[in-house]
Amino acid sequence: MRYGYFDTENDEYVIDRVDLPTSWTNYLGVEDMCAVLNHTAGGYLFYKSPEYHRITRFRGNAIPMDRPGDYVYIRDREDGDYFSISWQPVGKPLDEARYICRHGLSTTTYECDYRGIHAGQKMSIPIGDNVLVWDVTVRNDSKRVRELDVFSYAEFSFHHVPIDNQNFQMSLYCAGSEYKDGAIIYDLYYEEEGYQYFTANFEPDGYECLRDNFIGTYNTETNPKAVIEGRCRGQGQKGGNHCAVLQKSLSLLPGQSARLIYFLGEGALKQSQDIREKYKDPAALDRAYQELKNFWKNKQDRFKVSSGEAGIDTMINTWTLYQSEINVMFSRFASFIEVGGRTGLGYRDTAQDAMTVIATNPEGCKKRIVELLRALTTKGYGIHLFEPRWFMPEDEKEKKKKPFKSPTVIPEPEGASKVHGLSDACADDALWLVPSITEYVRETGCYDFLDEKYGYADGGEGTVYEHMKRIVSFSLEQVGDHGICKGLRADWNDCLNLGGGESTLVSFLLYRALVCLSELALFLGRDDDRMSFDKELKRLKSFFNDTLWDGKWFIRGITHNGRKIGSAENEEGKIHLESNAWAVLSGAADEDKARTTLDSVYEYLYTPYGILLNAPAYTKPDDDIGFITRVYPGLKENSSIFSHPNPWVWSAECTMGNGDRAFEYYRSLCPYYQNDIIETRHAEPYSYCQFISGKDHSAYGEAHHPFMTGSGGWSYFAVTHYMLGIRPGFDELIVDPCIPARWDGFNVKRYFRGDVYDITVENPAHVQKGVKEIYLDDTMVDKINIAGDGRQHSVRVVMG
Ligand code: GLC
């Protein structure tokens, strides 16, 4: 069953059946302000931090779902009938009204046709402005004059998510609202600069600042009292709950339409006036749409594939790129799942995100890499969850600002520090950063970056290269009783209890980090370093292949009681994905073991919806193995199809030349191919979800937690770098595809260090991997050297 379709021409996903089984989301904004919106205009808005600077309120995990939101009600003065432009909150029967939602790149549009009125509401956050714009059009498609009242509605939040949800004897008295010169000004009085405004491009005929006046104590957003009555009371107040309602009366002749533009922004009266002035002429807004379009087009033009396989082209050129970029911009905590209850950056997630879209977003990825470098301790481990500002050299303005302090006393232990000790360090966190930095310098050619100096979280400073060396030294020291890397607080899998135990995954991640450093040292001519990295690599390779091999695959780890995890000798959780993917992807596994282990993954973990994280599922709580055994079978880390590590396996298959299998895996997980089975998938088909219920769960195949997951980035990276095989070398562009044998080839236009390469890959012999000939501008070459002339060059690669 399908609920919509991909409109590739306009880079939109069009939901033409809006009674979806769950919310389908979009993220608006590409700078500091972000709106998370669903297909019925439910969601929330924040500025910089979803936890500390929440502008509109959201009631997470509530019924009806995803309320409140950014609503526009239209009421017919003749008979008092009303509807909302988005299907919810009024929710007219779908056989009486026609609704559409178009999620696009940084815009979402709601449309409704109801009783001769066509209405549209386009949402966006223009580049350079901290304002959410609602661009509303109301058109009279009927044959008589229509007398209408249009009401906007958004509910303000008390900014800090904790304050918004508790201790109402304080919170209810911290915020005030007033109406002035066409704008509603909201003030969080506890804060120094706690203002927001709501205004429009017209003079309103009524307004309301008080939520309960508008909705009514016994009503909901579905049937607000003021809309039923057709009039607002027009009040603001110090204290209480506040909202943004502007009322506009329209009289529309047949065929006539009105464009009402609303602005929900950061700042007070002055900012509201400035924004009104700026967008006085709606053409200014049309230009802002074009700027947003160009913003994304510039990125899309940096890597554009045409393979003839719609599930690759549509996802890589648009949706997976978009998902990966949004993760780099806003990280993980702004969603309907996290509800902004946390803020900041997770070390491991961010370190991986920052590697995936360097070609399309070098500045954004560098910013993240620098934040991670500053959050590294001198010992070489990262601060697991941190806010970048903790470790930033303060700027003068920030220093002068009084920090917000809640009047509610929440005692903090004396000496509490942002820098946690070893007992809270996750063994994998910083190891992800080494390949990301290597990727960054290869992509950009900015090798000077390696000698730039940055501070450590616990004091002192060092070059980027020194930071990298500390990371591997730390992991080389942190070994357990069996000589393999400790898991510390956790490795990538948060639910395996490897504290005190040892982790095969971390061991292979260390191997990969050492490979990166060794290659870097070779390129930079740092011979002593290279020799010492290579010595370790040699030692670890033979040691890992002996110690970690289980017969048909690699074990996942060893608990602090010395029990193996992920071994044939276990009854449950016999085989795990992560260690086997990385055994191959890191280059550590001997060739025969690499092949056997990948075959085992295929045999024991592959399902039609993707690869299980482990199997068989754990069914009995066992705290030696960890929390994973207290998660229901088939959910989350316990034998679900956890999306994030799936592309690790696709990539590993590509290193072994198995293009058919890599694509089969890609197809199984890729949401694009599940557009027609939404009765099973439930979630949106344009973004990867954190996990899909595994075969031991009654909801097998149902996808959960869209958008904010590392699976977008990793999928993008695996397809571009391993399947299409186009990746940056130190001083060359590498084209080394691994594709299904049936493919005749493909084309990629790729920007690289100032030039554009128009790459045509031909596969006349129908192989999966192997490059026979390379032509650069029609001349046969061994490798693609960087032209560096800022022009377009043609590359022809013949596989065979
Ligand atoms: C979540 C976390 C991520 C972790 C994964 C597996 O996605 O954000 O850090 O690696 O779960 O436990």
Side-chain angles (χ1 to χ4, degrees):
M1 190 189 287
R2 56 172 281 278
Y3 287 76
Y5 60 92
F6 289 88
D7 176 351
T8 340
E9 188 132 319
N10 294 306
D11 284 330
E12 285 183 332
Y13 187 90
V14 184
I15 300 162
D16 54 9
R17 193 184 150 176
V18 285
D19 57 338
L20 298 169
T22 186
S23 32
W24 290 12
T25 36
N26 196 11
Y27 286 80
L28 310 185
V30 295
E31 294 167 321
D32 287 337
M33 185 177 261
C34 174
V36 192
L37 284 178
N38 84 352
H39 59 290
T40 62
Y44 59 88
L45 177 69
F46 66 90
Y47 175 65
K48 290 190 177 166
S49 160
E51 183 181 5
Y52 299 142
H53 209 105
R54 176 69 64 80
I55 295 173
T56 53
R57 186 168 284 157
F58 186 72
R59 286 179 268 280
N61 196 24
I63 44 173
M65 71 172 186
D66 303 341
R67 287 201 186 176
D70 300 311
Y71 302 137
V72 176
Y73 301 88
I74 300 178
R75 178 182 188 272
D76 194 320
R77 272 202 296 279
E78 236 170 65
D79 58 4
D81 190 16
Y82 60 90
F83 66 100
S84 48
I85 301 180
S86 45
W87 180 43
Q88 296 298 320
V90 175
K92 286 288 181 195
L94 294 177
D95 53 358
E96 288 176 25
R98 184 177 153 269
Y99 298 92
I100 281 182
C101 165
R102 298 171 196 276
H103 282 319
L105 305 182
S106 300
T107 61
T108 284
T109 307
Y110 307 101
E111 283 174 27
C112 176
D113 286 283
Y114 179 65
R115 293 181 57 195
I117 298 294
H118 173 83
Q121 179 185 357
K122 180 167 176 174
M123 314 291 289
S124 69
I125 298 177
I127 293 171
D129 291 321
N130 291 316
V131 67
L132 175 66
V133 181
W134 314 3
D135 184 1
V136 171
T137 309
V138 186
R139 192 179 66 217
N140 179 2
D141 282 349
S142 69
K143 299 206 157 45
R144 60 200 160 89
V145 177
R146 302 293 291 268
E147 305 289 338
L148 307 170
D149 274 302
V150 183
F151 299 85
S152 64
Y153 178 76
E155 184 178 338
F156 286 110
S157 143
F158 296 142
H159 288 191
H160 290 235
V161 171
I163 294 187
D164 212 39
N165 287 301
Q166 66 189 27
N167 199 359
F168 293 115
Q169 57 99 14
M170 295 299 307
S171 357
L172 274 179
Y173 312 104
C174 71
S177 56
E178 63 172 330
Y179 175 85
K180 223 176 180 179
D181 301 338
I184 287 170
I185 307 297
Y186 177 67
D187 172 20
L188 200 107
Y189 196 51
Y190 285 179
E191 291 177 348
E192 210 180 343
E193 290 169 21
Y195 293 101
Q196 273 91 38
Y197 63 84
F198 187 78
T199 189
N201 71 336
F202 53 82
E203 287 313 313
D205 299 304
Y207 73 90
E208 186 57 70
C209 306
L210 296 184
R211 180 192 72 182
D212 300 344
N213 277 0
F214 183 76
I215 300 282
T217 316
Y218 296 98
N219 297 30
T220 70
E221 297 94 350
T222 300
N223 54 354
K225 201 163 156 278
V227 177
I228 291 173
E229 291 170 358
R231 110 180 53 87
C232 297
R233 278 169 56 187
Q235 256 191 304
Q237 183 178 278
K238 294 186 166 62
N241 286 297
H242 307 267
C243 65
V245 177
L246 294 178
Q247 178 180 356
K248 181 73 189 158
S249 305
L250 299 175
S251 175
L252 294 180
L253 298 170
Q256 195 184 1
S257 60
R259 189 170 178 187
L260 309 176
I261 306 174
Y262 302 84
F263 307 94
L264 174 52
E266 185 61 23
L269 190 61
K270 165 85 174 71
Q271 284 81 0
S272 82
Q273 286 163 341
D274 290 349
I275 214 83
R276 261 184 131 186
E277 184 57 32
K278 177 165 180 186
Y279 292 102
K280 202 167 58 188
D281 179 0
L285 185 57
D286 297 330
R287 281 196 296 276
Y289 293 143
Q290 195 53 49
E291 267 181 54
L292 278 172
K293 257 206 169 99
N294 295 345
F295 174 88
W296 287 108
K297 188 166 180 308
N298 286 340
K299 290 180 184 293
Q300 291 174 308
D301 285 348
R302 290 199 157 212
F303 191 105
K304 197 153 207 157
V305 54
S306 152
S307 71
E309 184 65 56
I312 293 256
D313 298 355
T314 307
M315 295 306 280
I316 295 303
N317 294 337
T318 303
W319 293 101
T320 308
L321 167 67
Y322 185 54
Q323 182 175 10
S324 316
E325 289 268 0
I326 298 280
N327 273 268
V328 172
M329 284 175 202
F330 300 114
S331 194
R332 297 287 194 277
F333 302 131
S335 66
F336 292 161
I337 314 306
E338 289 274 359
V339 195
R342 295 192 279 166
T343 208
L345 303 176
Y347 206 99
R348 79 161 71 93
D349 293 349
T350 308
Q352 291 171 81
D353 291 348
M355 180 187 70
T356 58
V357 283
I358 298 171
T360 60
N361 189 2
E363 301 83 18
C365 291
K366 180 177 178 188
K367 178 169 171 279
R368 289 296 185 221
I369 288 171
V370 167
E371 287 163 352
L372 292 158
L373 287 165
R374 292 191 201 275
L376 188 81
T377 62
T378 42
K379 289 202 173 62
Y381 64 85
I383 303 304
H384 186 63
L385 178 61
F386 68 99
E387 290 181 42
R389 66 186 169 91
W390 293 349
F391 307 119
M392 279 295 171
E394 284 176 281
D395 73 40
E396 285 308 305
K397 192 167 163 243
E398 284 299 311
K399 250 195 268 177
K400 277 191 207 129
K401 246 199 211 167
K402 276 189 264 149
F404 175 85
K405 194 122 178 109
S406 163
T408 310
V409 177
I410 304 164
E412 268 183 32
E414 269 192 42
S417 159
K418 310 288 185 212
V419 181
H420 60 65
L422 190 59
S423 58
D424 283 320
C426 290
D428 65 319
D429 274 348
L431 284 172
W432 297 107
L433 186 58
V434 175
S436 299
I437 294 171
T438 317
E439 178 68 16
Y440 175 78
V441 293
R442 277 197 304 236
E443 179 65 48
T444 59
C446 297
Y447 295 106
D448 291 351
F449 177 58
L450 298 168
D451 297 319
E452 281 178 23
K453 283 193 172 163
Y454 292 98
Y456 290 100
D458 51 348
E461 62 168 24
T463 64
V464 172
Y465 187 74
E466 280 159 4
H467 278 70
M468 293 165 92
K469 284 193 359 181
R470 278 186 200 237
I471 293 169
V472 294
S473 306
F474 173 77
S475 297
L476 283 166
E477 282 158 23
Q478 293 294 322
V479 291
D481 296 343
H482 301 84
I484 58 177
C485 291
K486 285 185 185 169
L488 300 179
R489 175 71 190 263
D491 66 13
W492 175 87
N493 190 327
D494 280 328
C495 297
L496 274 178
N497 181 11
L498 291 161
E502 291 155 77
S503 164
T504 303
L505 171 63
V506 176
S507 305
F508 290 136
L509 292 179
L510 165 63
Y511 191 88
R512 182 185 182 225
L514 278 164
V515 170
C516 290
L517 274 172
S518 159
E519 290 172 357
L520 202 54
L522 173 69
F523 176 73
L524 299 172
R526 299 184 186 178
D527 296 337
D528 292 351
D529 282 350
R530 166 139 208 255
M531 266 161 23
S532 96
F533 298 140
D534 284 355
K535 206 170 120 213
E536 289 296 355
L537 282 168
K538 198 159 172 244
R539 178 181 71 80
L540 293 177
K541 188 173 171 81
S542 86
F543 179 63
F544 288 164
N545 277 285
D546 289 347
T547 331
L548 305 176
W549 184 242
D550 193 59
K552 283 170 84 180
W553 57 81
F554 288 91
I555 59 166
R556 179 67 176 80
I558 301 173
T559 74
H560 74 294
N561 288 324
R563 286 164 65 201
K564 282 183 191 166
I565 297 181
S567 157
E569 72 184 43
N570 301 136
E571 245 177 67
E572 302 186 327
K574 282 173 185 288
I575 170 167
H576 288 237
L577 183 163
E578 307 98 301
S579 42
N580 292 301
W582 279 105
V584 182
L585 199 45
S586 67
D590 292 338
E591 189 169 342
D592 54 334
K593 291 193 172 88
R595 290 198 187 284
T596 310
T597 216
L598 288 179
D599 287 346
S600 297
V601 167
Y602 190 71
E603 186 176 345
Y604 299 106
L605 297 178
Y606 180 45
T607 79
Y609 304 116
I611 309 164
L612 296 168
L613 190 58
N614 42 61
Y618 293 99
T619 60
K620 298 178 270 296
D622 180 340
D623 293 327
D624 189 31
I625 293 174
F627 190 78
I628 192 171
T629 62
R630 290 185 182 272
V631 176
Y632 288 124
L635 295 184
K636 295 277 291 178
E637 281 87 342
N638 188 8
S639 200
S640 82
I641 296 141
F642 213 96
S643 306
H644 180 135
N646 266 248
W648 300 347
V649 182
W650 319 341
S651 309
E653 288 286 3
C654 288
T655 65
M656 302 305 291
N658 301 326
D660 283 329
R661 209 190 259 170
F663 185 74
E664 186 182 352
Y665 281 143
Y666 174 78
R667 206 179 191 295
S668 64
L669 188 78
C670 179
Y672 179 89
Y673 297 101
Q674 298 183 1
N675 194 44
D676 292 340
I677 53 160
I678 299 302
E679 71 281 9
T680 305
R681 179 179 171 83
H682 283 204
E684 53 213 43
Y686 48 86
S687 91
Y688 285 89
C689 289
Q690 187 199 49
F691 79 95
I692 291 114
S693 304
K695 55 186 176 196
D696 291 304
H697 194 268
S698 50
Y700 180 35
E702 189 175 318
H704 309 265
H705 311 170
F707 241 112
M708 291 319 206
T709 139
S711 22
W714 261 105
S715 167
Y716 189 79
F717 192 76
V719 172
T720 53
H721 284 58
Y722 289 95
M723 292 165 65
L724 302 174
I726 302 176
R727 51 183 181 267
F730 285 104
D731 55 4
E732 64 182 310
L733 182 64
I734 298 169
V735 182
D736 178 24
C738 184
I739 56 176
R742 69 180 163 78
W743 281 22
D744 293 327
F746 61 88
N747 176 271
V748 165
K749 235 183 186 179
R750 194 208 202 271
Y751 169 93
F752 186 52
R753 299 203 201 161
D755 306 329
V756 174
Y757 295 84
D758 190 352
I759 306 161
T760 303
V761 172
E762 294 166 10
N763 189 18
H766 288 277
V767 296
Q768 296 177 56
K769 193 172 172 132
V771 167
K772 211 170 71 177
E773 290 156 19
I774 307 174
Y775 298 87
L776 176 62
D777 293 326
D778 298 325
T779 308
M780 203 179 203
V781 289
D782 293 338
K783 62 179 207 153
I784 305 162
N785 286 318
I786 300 154
D789 56 6
R791 303 175 60 166
Q792 181 161 315
H793 297 273
S794 78
V795 174
R796 190 160 74 90
V797 169
V798 184
M799 292 176 72

